[in-house]
């Protein structure tokens, strides 16, 4: 009788001591799922326990020709580990990657890495603003990947040397949280809830700044064009504005969206082509010819559009979404046919970054997970679109 009791007790103790790494993360009181926040785009991060998952687009949704091209483009998949390291560094929680172990996988396109595989990375903390009673509301790497700008809830913009792990400067000027950042060479644009966009050169004294005032509500999206000449800004006032590099007033204004414009992306393939996405009351993906000021086309995505990014190698773009489907969609342009629909996040997909090689993306959501997806092919599209919707082939 005593031996049987001891065996049951031992089994109970062993069960209680199972490794917690394989358990689902419990939603705590500070999770965005349980706390109502006035922030439309940025979830509460206090006490968040981010987990990492790796996912790949299902090739069954591609045509045989696309599958063949994708397999041809996967010859240098050994570089994926380096790409994923850069993804973790890119616009996600200010984390710096120290070392990356080289994985030994034959066909990564069909492999789903287990959560235990996150041991490939060693992540170090760059900064902790909680000691000052502040929090991170936006991050953005410069083009060289050596400096990271950090926007804060109190309206500061900090510039950090990621490699050295030291703060270079702290810029003041905003009176409310900084929710959008965009580099343009050595210049940094910041958009705030105070409705102002500040343009500053990090090499000059902090007092030298340009103030761009055009939005009537919070500035929630900023993107510079590939030629560094134009800045697109989106706001909670449902407006999409385009500024040039010298004017203090917008040179173009688009008012077709019916909700906040957070998602903005300039095409790297067609000069002057700008894409934007609207919030829950709009849900539309819209395209603009900023050379002529014309609206090109639009489509209802069915969900709040949170982020947009173009493929570097093909005329495709990826969009991430919030209410109500929380999906990730890959589009072919200009036909706007869906190449892939990726699901897995259980909350709004508020963060998106593309790998330096342009093949993979990483998404972060309010469900406190980071997910890696292999969505773009490295095979560059050489055919020029002949669609009548492509006005860029007709500009003289």
């Amino acid at each position: 009788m005593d031996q049987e009791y001891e065996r049951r007790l031992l089994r109970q103790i062993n069960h209680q001591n199972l490794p917690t790494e394989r358990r689902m993360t419990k939603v705590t009181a500070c999770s965005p799922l349980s706390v109502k926040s006035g922030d439309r785009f940025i979830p509460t991060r206090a006490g968040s326990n981010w987990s990492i998952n790796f996912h790949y687009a299902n090739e069954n949704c591609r045509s045989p020709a696309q599958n063949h091209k994708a397999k041809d483009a996967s010859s240098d998949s050994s570089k994926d580990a380096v790409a994923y390291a850069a993804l973790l560094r890119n616009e996600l929680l200010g984390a710096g990657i120290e070392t990356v172990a080289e994985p030994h996988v034959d066909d990564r396109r069909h492999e789903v890495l287990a959560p235990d595989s996150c041991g490939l990375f060693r992540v170090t903390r760059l900064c902790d603003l909680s000691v000052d009673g502040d929090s991170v509301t936006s991050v953005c790497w410069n083009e060289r990947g050596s400096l990271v700008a950090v926007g804060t809830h109190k309206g500061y913009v900090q510039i950090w040397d990621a490699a050295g792990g030291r703060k270079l400067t702290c810029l003041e000027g905003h009176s409310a949280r900084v929710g959008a950042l965009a580099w343009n060479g050595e210049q940094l644009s910041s958009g705030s809830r105070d409705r102002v966009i500040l343009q500053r050169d990090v090499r000059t004294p902090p007092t030298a700044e340009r103030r761009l005032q055009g939005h009537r509500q919070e500035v929630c999206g900023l993107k510079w064009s590939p030629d560094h000449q134009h800045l697109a800004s989106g706001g909670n006032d449902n407006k999409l504005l385009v500024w040039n590099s010298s004017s203090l007033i917008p040179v173009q204004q688009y008012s077709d969206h019916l909700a906040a414009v957070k998602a903005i992306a300039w095409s790297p393939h067609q000069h002057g082509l700008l894409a934007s996405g609207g919030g829950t009351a709009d849900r539309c993906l819209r395209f603009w010819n900023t050379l002529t000021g014309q609206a090109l086309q639009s489509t209802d995505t069915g969900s709040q559009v949170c982020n947009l990014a173009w493929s570097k190698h093909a005329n495709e773009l990826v969009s991430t979404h919030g209410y109500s489907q929380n999906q990730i969609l890959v589009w072919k342009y200009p036909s706007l046919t869906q190449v892939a629909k990726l699901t897995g996040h259980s909350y709004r997909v508020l963060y998106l970054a593309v790998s330096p090689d342009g093949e993979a993306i990483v998404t972060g959501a309010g469900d406190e997970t980071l997910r890696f997806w292999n969505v773009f092919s490295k095979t560059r599209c050489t055919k020029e679109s002949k669609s009548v919707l492509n006005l860029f082939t007709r500009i003289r």
Side-chain angles (χ1 to χ4, degrees), residues 16-228:
Q16 293 175 346
N17 290 335
L18 285 175
T20 58
E21 288 77 12
R22 296 184 182 272
R23 299 176 184 171
M24 295 290 289
T25 303
K26 185 178 180 180
V27 178
T28 60
C30 61
S31 169
L33 296 177
S34 59
V35 175
K36 291 184 179 180
S37 172
D39 195 331
R40 182 177 294 186
F41 302 113
I42 304 171
T44 303
R45 284 207 200 131
S48 296
N49 183 16
W50 292 80
S51 60
I52 300 173
N53 293 299
F54 294 79
H55 298 268
Y56 295 84
N58 187 353
E59 287 190 343
N60 292 331
C61 64
R62 296 175 180 265
S63 66
Q66 288 173 322
N67 288 339
H68 179 71
K69 290 181 180 179
K71 290 177 181 178
D72 291 342
S74 63
S75 58
D76 52 354
S77 61
S78 61
K79 298 179 181 178
D80 282 353
V82 179
Y84 292 141
L87 282 169
L88 276 180
R89 293 176 57 190
N90 187 17
E91 296 187 342
L92 288 168
L93 307 182
I97 304 302
E98 294 181 351
T99 59
V100 180
E102 186 70 24
H104 300 285
V105 180
D106 294 333
D107 189 357
R108 295 178 59 85
R109 192 170 294 274
H110 293 85
E111 184 83 6
V112 177
L113 301 182
D116 292 344
S117 301
C118 63
L120 292 171
F121 308 102
R122 184 164 63 235
V123 181
T124 59
R125 178 177 296 180
L126 179 64
C127 62
D128 185 359
L129 304 184
S130 62
V131 296
D132 298 322
D134 207 349
S135 58
V136 176
T137 52
S138 56
V139 291
C140 185
W141 287 86
N142 70 343
E143 296 175 1
R144 297 180 181 179
S146 56
L147 301 179
V148 60
V150 179
T152 80
H153 184 79
K154 290 185 176 181
Y156 299 108
V157 177
Q158 300 181 358
I159 309 297
W160 285 77
D161 175 4
R166 60 192 181 95
K167 182 170 64 176
L168 301 180
T169 186
C170 182
L171 304 175
E172 302 179 357
H174 288 295
S175 59
R177 68 175 175 216
V178 178
L181 295 166
W183 286 91
N184 186 31
E186 300 297 332
Q187 295 182 331
L188 177 63
S189 300
S190 56
S192 170
R193 195 174 189 176
D194 62 12
R195 302 173 293 178
V196 175
I197 301 171
L198 293 182
Q199 179 75 22
R200 293 174 278 201
D201 192 317
V202 297
R203 300 166 298 181
T204 62
T207 55
E209 64 182 24
R210 295 174 62 240
R211 297 177 65 88
L212 308 181
Q213 295 179 289
H215 287 285
R216 296 185 177 181
Q217 293 188 38
E218 178 174 5
V219 180
C220 52
L222 286 176
K223 285 291 173 63
W224 276 95
S225 60
D227 62 3
H228 307 284

Side-chain angles (χ1 to χ4, degrees), residues 316-353:
E316 298 177 351
L317 72 161
V318 59
S319 59
T320 73
H321 299 267
Y323 181 81
S324 61
Q325 300 184 41
N326 308 317
Q327 77 272 42
I328 301 165
L329 301 176
V330 183
W331 307 83
K332 178 75 69 175
Y333 185 82
S335 64
L336 295 185
T337 55
Q338 288 188 21
V339 178
K341 180 178 180 179
L342 311 175
T343 58
H345 283 296
S346 59
Y347 205 68
R348 292 174 295 175
V349 188
L350 302 179
Y351 305 97
L352 169 68

